[in-house]
Amino acid sequence: MSVAASLRLFARNRLAAAGGVLLVVVVVIALLAPVLPLADPYAQDTANKFLRPFSDGHLLGTDHLGRDILSRLIWGTRLSLVVGLVASFGAAFFGSTIGIVAGYFGGRVDNWLMRGIDMLMAFPYILLALAIVAALGPGLVNALIAVSVVNIPFFARNIRGVTVTLAHKEFVDAARLAGMTDLRIMTSEILPNVLPVIVIAMSTTVGWMILETAGLSFLGLGSQPPVADLGSMLGEGRNALITDPHASIIPGLMIFVIVMSVNLMGDGIRDALDPRLRSGALTRPMARTTVDRDSVPEPPADPALLDLQDLRTEFRVGKRTLKALSGVTLQVRAGECLGLIGESGSGKSVTALSVMGLVASPPGVIAGGAVRYAGQEVLGAPFSELRKLRGDRISYIFQDPLATLHPLFTVGDQIVEAIQSHHAVPRAEARARALALLEAVRIPNADRRMDDFPHELSGGMRQRVGIAMALVNEPDLIIADEPTTALDVTVQAQILALLDDLRRERDVAILFITHDFGVVAQLCDRIAVMYAGRIVETGPTAEILAAPAHPYTRRLIACVPELGGGRRELHAIPGLPPAVDDLPDGCAFAPRCDKATEACRRGEIALEGFGPSRALRCLHPEIAPEEARA
Amino acid sequence: MTDTLRIRDLDKRFGGGRGLLGFGKEKPSVHAVQSASLDVARGQTLGIVGESGCGKSTLARMIVGLLPPSAGTIEIEGVNYAERAGRDPAAFGKVIQYVFQDPLSSLNPRKTIRQILEAPLKRLHRMPAEQRAARIAEILDAVNLRPEFLDRYPHEFSGGQAQRIGIARALAAAPRILVLDEPVSALDVSVQAQVLNLLSQLREEFDLTYLFISHDLAVVEAVADRVAVMYFGAIVELAPAREIFARPRHHYTALLARSAPVVGRPLAAPEAADAELPDPLNPPPGCAFARRCPAATEICHRTKPPLEDHGTGHHAACHHPAR
């Protein structure tokens, strides 16, 4: 997150850049006011009042006292800008201080401070500003204080929200243990992290504060004659609006120009600084992943239920291309459970999502290969076809059911919706089917649980609901992406046993994605091991676990500590998996492999048959092909 | 051998208290940790095992002084620190440090690694600049990180590297005890082993005592000398590591051991589907595990079993211990 990158992002936003340029021009002119050859803004000449613009010696004409409007405009702009900026710094300083203190300490401090802020907010803000000015007396400084105070709640609430999340981060605990005092933690740990939010809040409110100050001056409560800011110029010109409109239109236009350029620039700053927007949160993902491939592979000789052929999924972010999948080929047969195993970043989840075109696009692109469901190509099919398959023939179970279930609907309603979106059945019938499913996934008191919201269920129960939803239309294939990783071991054991029973009862195939060898060993018929976006070894579970052929598989299995081994040194694989935007030539595991030779680092190494039922992508297998049997 | 860490009857209740102005009805409270007592001898590793919500992290946060206990004592090398908990974290910081579960969220994203590692040296030990540089170089070498990493920011590191930085920060304070809260559960298995092996080297090198918290029984077994099992806020079993999983006395420990997925063991649900944790706001009077326990009898639902020695330092809180 560099300054240069933020600047580039800002410049890419044309409108914001235009606003920035305009604002710079205005600010430079205002700054240069003392050295510009301007008339005296206070010199009255009642004989020449209300001269039109472009008259001799008065480029923008004169006002009701014959004062030069151009000069007053520039000096007034200067004043308005200073007041707006100072007011917003004041509001930002006090508001952020209150917000950080309230958010950091929490509890009673938070309660008192925020109730105070709430009281401030309970008054309509213009009324509050008027009351403050009335109490302090009219004058620019008092108007500035009023505008500042009125805007404190906005900063305090914003910053408090951010601070609350930060104050519970582990690095704050670590700072405490490193001997830092609360004051130091707030200034050196919290503040740098909320600073972007403060800047964003300021950039979006400066314009607003300039307007509010102008408003108070317009009412005669801000700057006092003869000194004029833009608001009081507007106020003075108002009396002659019909006869001499230029006296009020010119300052009005100036206010418009300043506020608009500030706001445009503020939006640009916000977009450039906000990490969520930077990563493209505003670019709405499309309903399916973009497909951009040169050719479609020939259908396989013996089509299975699901065939992935040389699937290549990429993420195109700016100039970089992250090759998440570089040619994944696998088959899931009807009623079979295939375990797809790999470490984080190996591409196993992307594989799962690519099957039904669920990879977020942009930035995801399927750059090659094919997905065939029962022989029929899915990626090139019309969206309506794909939508019919999703959730009906092929369904998903995700890792975190709390994130995938809608928090505002009861679980019963969500299951009913899943049925009705694919099949026209009456609601009562759909509800009966939902109940039967909840009973099938062994949720106790299913009829009562139907009307519970997701947050009322425990993690294990929620995942059962997730499974029930996946089963709802009697799919042929369930893609389960780490469905038990977020659960406790005792709950995990229950869920795995349930999945195993269900797949046998209902004859449904499962593509089970996990990083846990213990889990695949218990559940899966076959496994496929992934590394850096490729399948490196595949075959029957028992054979691979008993005699792994790829060095990566062997060493990964050795890393897993097993219960009953006692206290010991564990096996580790030195080094790290390669970055997917910089994959080495040849075997991606070669840099970490103790058997790697020159040949491993060149060209493409193919996934080839190994023994009767296995396939392997390695030049120096751990075992001979004849041994590749359990 | 003296005990480096000795805690007695450590208790934590959350909630309770009253409204904003200090009066009104008392709010419901949760008894998160119930009179935990533990001893850890110098140079040993005590594993703490339990599922989410069992109170293991609350216990750990009390031991390092981040959370004031409701009752009980925390003695570190003979000095009681319980009074200072929650008020003077720096006093704790010099003798005990914490390694967090999520390596990335435990490092301030806006500070360089050098700034992160310098904080404890500056604040806890008031070390002058040139001594700091030497000490940081030494620690960085101990955790196998290259010196050029010092001027980078946390987001430039992988999980395994970030966890080493977290460990380095803890070591920089020169503590006697490290509390490791799920230090490897966010890491991939191949990296997990690297970090675990590093931890065991460091224990020897810096003469440290560890409190190792994890939900993964196999990991705990591989690193711990003794293991405490927690359930619903209480320690239910405490025994030498090789004893506890080979011959568990408490039925909950046995269930945990049976539930861990193991290569070559057929899949079977170890218990019925409606087995759930009791409601913390309304705890049962007897043994908290009784409703899930195959050996439960009437007494289990009535009286809470005490943690008793069942021979050779094997403690279990059970009326009907397994044989």
Side-chain angles (χ1 to χ4, degrees):
Chain A
M1 158 128 82
S2 68
V3 178
S6 296
L7 272 179
R8 262 203 306 281
L9 246 157
F10 179 72
R12 217 167 54 195
N13 186 338
R14 294 258 171 78
L15 268 176
V21 168
L22 198 58
L23 189 66
V24 167
V25 170
V26 172
V27 167
V28 166
I29 292 177
L31 282 177
L32 289 178
V35 296
L36 289 176
L38 292 173
D40 178 356
Y42 307 126
Q44 300 187 4
D45 179 8
T46 31
N48 285 323
K49 66 175 184 181
F50 290 131
L51 287 183
R52 300 286 159 202
F54 307 112
S55 29
D56 200 22
H58 300 287
L59 190 59
L60 293 178
T62 57
D63 68 359
H64 64 294
L65 295 173
R67 295 174 295 195
D68 183 56
I69 289 187
L70 177 66
S71 164
R72 287 180 71 75
L73 185 76
I74 293 177
W75 284 98
T77 302
R78 195 174 148 98
L79 204 55
S80 284
L81 283 175
V82 169
V83 171
L85 269 180
V86 173
S88 93
F89 271 105
F93 177 79
F94 290 105
S96 306
T97 308
I98 293 173
I100 290 178
V101 170
Y104 178 73
F105 287 106
R108 201 154 283 185
V109 176
D110 180 36
N111 228 328
W112 279 109
L113 281 174
M114 293 325 283
R115 291 306 79 79
I117 292 292
D118 286 347
M119 280 198 287
L120 213 52
M121 290 192 74
F123 297 98
Y125 75 93
I126 193 76
L127 213 64
L128 183 62
L130 285 174
I132 294 171
V133 174
L136 298 176
L140 201 54
V141 176
N142 293 343
L144 187 157
I145 293 173
V147 171
S148 256
V149 169
V150 165
N151 283 293
I152 284 177
F154 174 76
F155 283 94
R157 291 167 67 108
N158 248 333
I159 302 304
R160 175 190 170 266
V162 184
T163 308
V164 167
T165 17
L166 285 171
H168 291 101
K169 287 257 175 154
E170 294 168 337
F171 68 77
V172 172
D173 284 337
R176 281 199 192 107
L177 283 174
M180 292 196 191
T181 56
D182 287 332
L183 182 66
R184 187 175 289 280
I185 293 176
M186 282 189 277
T187 52
S188 83
E189 303 283 322
I190 306 271
L191 184 64
N193 284 294
V194 296
L195 209 54
V197 185
I198 298 179
V199 172
I200 290 167
M202 273 179 70
S203 64
T204 47
T205 48
V206 173
W208 184 13
M209 293 203 209
I210 291 174
L211 265 185
E212 283 171 7
T213 329
L216 285 178
S217 291
F218 177 82
L219 296 173
L221 299 169
S223 70
Q224 297 301 308
V227 179
D229 70 349
L230 294 172
S232 57
M233 284 177 73
L234 197 63
E236 286 163 2
R238 176 189 54 158
N239 297 328
L241 183 64
I242 307 298
T243 50
D244 302 286
H246 72 275
S248 40
I249 287 178
I250 290 170
L253 273 177
M254 195 64 192
I255 294 177
F256 172 72
V257 166
I258 293 177
V259 173
M260 200 184 66
S261 59
V262 166
N263 285 351
L264 285 178
M265 200 183 79
D267 287 354
I269 291 177
R270 184 197 59 207
D271 293 358
L273 284 185
D274 194 327
R276 266 179 336 113
L277 299 176
R278 197 205 301 261
S279 62
L282 278 188
T283 49
R284 210 175 131 213
M286 286 182 283
R288 69 186 296 178
T289 313
T290 316
V291 180
D292 176 18
R293 54 184 172 183
D294 301 330
S295 60
V296 182
E298 289 299 309
D302 57 333
L305 180 66
L306 180 75
D307 276 289
L308 303 191
Q309 298 174 289
D310 197 33
L311 192 63
R312 291 166 191 273
T313 304
E314 302 175 349
F315 292 93
R316 295 178 183 163
V317 186
K319 279 182 208 136
R320 292 197 306 162
T321 300
L322 307 170
K323 291 188 178 162
L325 304 184
S326 9
V328 169
T329 303
L330 59 81
Q331 281 194 329
V332 185
R333 297 188 196 95
E336 168 189 62
C337 179
L338 174 71
L340 188 58
I341 192 160
E343 296 182 272
S344 51
S346 62
K348 53 194 194 304
S349 285
V350 177
T351 307
L353 293 174
S354 297
V355 170
M356 286 283 100
L358 289 172
V359 179
S361 232
V365 176
I366 293 175
V371 174
R372 286 176 202 279
Y373 166 73
Q376 172 205 358
E377 220 279 318
V378 181
L379 296 176
F383 181 63
S384 56
E385 298 272 307
L386 181 64
R387 207 178 156 259
K388 263 189 228 155
L389 288 178
R390 282 182 183 175
D392 190 39
R393 301 292 82 227
I394 299 181
S395 59
Y396 282 85
I397 305 173
F398 294 101
Q399 178 172 343
D400 180 6
L402 193 56
T404 46
L405 291 173
H406 197 297
L408 298 183
F409 292 94
T410 63
V411 295
D413 283 347
Q414 296 187 52
I415 300 178
V416 167
E417 189 199 4
I419 300 173
Q420 288 184 323
S421 65
H422 284 287
H423 303 280
V425 287
R427 198 181 150 75
E429 195 190 318
R431 218 179 134 77
R433 228 155 99 188
L435 182 62
L437 275 165
L438 289 180
E439 275 163 0
V441 295
R442 286 165 221 151
I443 290 184
N445 304 322
D447 50 341
R448 275 207 347 252
R449 290 298 195 181
M450 284 273 279
D451 299 314
D452 279 354
F453 290 95
H455 70 265
E456 295 174 292
L457 302 174
S458 68
M461 286 301 149
R462 277 200 290 269
Q463 196 55 292
R464 284 168 200 270
V465 173
I467 295 172
M469 277 181 86
L471 288 172
V472 94
N473 295 310
E474 291 171 358
D476 301 320
L477 172 67
I478 294 178
I479 298 176
D481 189 356
E482 306 243 15
T484 59
T485 307
L487 306 175
D488 280 321
V489 265
T490 53
V491 182
Q492 165 171 295
Q494 296 171 8
I495 296 286
L496 289 178
L498 173 70
L499 270 177
D500 196 46
D501 289 350
L502 288 173
R503 91 177 168 97
R504 287 175 208 287
E505 279 163 26
R506 292 168 186 249
D507 194 31
V508 48
I510 300 182
L511 176 58
F512 195 94
I513 289 151
T514 181
H515 65 276
D516 191 331
F517 272 105
V519 171
V520 276
Q522 291 187 319
L523 188 68
C524 301
D525 308 313
R526 283 195 310 131
I527 59 178
V529 183
M530 274 193 93
Y531 188 78
R534 285 195 184 95
I535 297 209
V536 295
E537 178 164 15
T538 172
T541 308
E543 289 183 24
I544 290 192
L545 289 176
H550 199 285
Y552 174 65
T553 318
R554 177 183 62 83
R555 297 182 63 180
L556 193 61
I557 294 174
C559 284
V560 183
E562 244 178 61
L563 204 55
R567 198 169 154 186
R568 63 204 180 272
E569 180 95 340
L570 296 164
H571 296 276
I573 307 179
L576 295 171
V580 281
D581 57 343
D582 184 26
L583 287 177
D585 265 353
C587 173
F589 187 62
R592 299 172 79 185
C593 184
D594 47 11
K595 303 180 102 181
T597 57
E598 257 325 289
C600 297
R601 297 188 173 89
R602 273 197 311 263
E604 187 89 337
I605 295 157
L607 184 69
E608 279 168 348
F610 187 78
S613 52
R614 293 167 67 168
L616 179 69
R617 195 190 289 276
C618 184
L619 299 178
H620 308 288
E622 299 278 335
I623 52 169
E626 308 80 66
E627 298 169 69
R629 255 173 207 279
Chain B
M1 197 167 9
T2 55
D3 290 331
T4 298
L5 177 72
R6 170 195 282 267
I7 62 171
R8 284 290 170 272
D9 300 319
L10 209 56
D11 228 59
K12 183 70 195 174
R13 275 177 194 280
F14 286 111
R18 292 162 202 277
L20 179 62
L21 299 170
F23 51 84
K25 216 175 80 184
E26 196 162 311
K27 293 178 194 155
S29 75
V30 170
H31 207 168
V33 174
Q34 298 156 21
S35 46
S37 298
L38 289 170
D39 300 302
V40 194
R42 180 168 161 185
Q44 298 251 302
T45 299
L46 174 75
I48 300 180
V49 177
E51 296 183 280
S52 51
C54 73
K56 56 190 194 298
S57 287
T58 308
L59 177 64
R61 288 172 58 83
M62 283 197 285
I63 295 176
V64 294
L66 287 171
L67 202 66
S70 308
T73 59
I74 305 165
E75 256 178 49
I76 300 171
E77 297 192 319
V79 184
N80 183 13
Y81 281 78
E83 302 291 302
R84 280 176 271 182
R87 258 176 280 162
D88 186 8
F92 280 87
K94 282 184 214 165
V95 288
I96 188 163
Q97 281 287 338
Y98 206 89
V99 174
F100 297 89
Q101 172 172 7
D102 180 350
L104 280 174
S105 97
S106 74
L107 304 174
N108 189 339
R110 302 208 169 248
K111 291 203 161 180
T112 62
I113 305 311
R114 186 191 304 279
Q115 287 172 313
I116 289 170
L117 294 183
E118 272 191 335
L121 298 177
K122 264 198 226 169
R123 306 282 153 229
L124 291 174
H125 297 289
R126 316 251 165 234
M127 214 180 252
E130 60 279 19
Q131 247 178 293
R132 285 204 301 261
R135 176 89 177 125
I136 286 177
E138 183 190 325
I139 293 166
L140 220 53
D141 186 52
V143 298
N144 306 329
L145 287 175
R146 292 200 294 276
E148 65 257 33
F149 288 172
L150 279 175
D151 295 309
R152 297 197 195 159
Y153 287 90
H155 68 93
E156 298 173 57
F157 295 94
S158 70
Q161 288 171 324
Q163 194 55 289
R164 280 162 210 255
I165 295 166
I167 294 170
R169 171 182 51 200
L171 289 178
R176 312 293 310 128
I177 306 171
L178 275 194
V179 176
L180 305 150
D181 188 358
E182 306 255 10
V184 295
S185 57
L187 307 178
D188 276 319
V189 272
S190 72
V191 183
Q192 174 178 318
Q194 292 173 11
V195 173
L196 289 174
N197 291 339
L198 171 72
L199 281 171
S200 86
Q201 272 170 34
L202 293 173
R203 191 175 73 157
E204 305 289 311
E205 197 179 329
F206 292 91
D207 187 22
L208 294 164
T209 303
Y210 283 169
L211 221 64
F212 191 102
I213 299 169
S214 180
H215 68 278
D216 189 331
L217 307 184
V219 167
V220 169
E221 194 199 28
V223 300
D225 300 295
R226 286 198 311 149
V227 176
V229 179
M230 286 186 78
Y231 183 73
F232 201 62
I235 296 173
V236 296
E237 188 159 8
L238 176 65
R242 61 194 135 56
E243 270 286 297
I244 199 161
F245 298 121
R247 274 179 298 281
R249 286 300 178 80
H250 199 283
H251 297 278
Y252 175 63
T253 315
L255 171 68
L256 273 182
R258 273 203 311 277
S259 302
V262 172
V263 175
R265 186 166 66 193
L267 204 52
E271 59 178 336
D274 55 352
E276 291 214 358
L277 278 170
D279 179 4
L281 289 172
N282 184 20
C287 170
F289 188 64
R291 268 180 50 207
R292 295 169 71 177
C293 185
T297 58
E298 199 255 336
I299 184 174
C300 304
H301 293 281
R302 242 180 325 111
T303 20
K304 192 166 281 188
L307 189 65
E308 281 171 339
D309 195 337
H310 290 254
T312 61
H314 196 139
H315 303 261
C318 186
H319 291 301
H320 312 290
R323 299 277 139 205

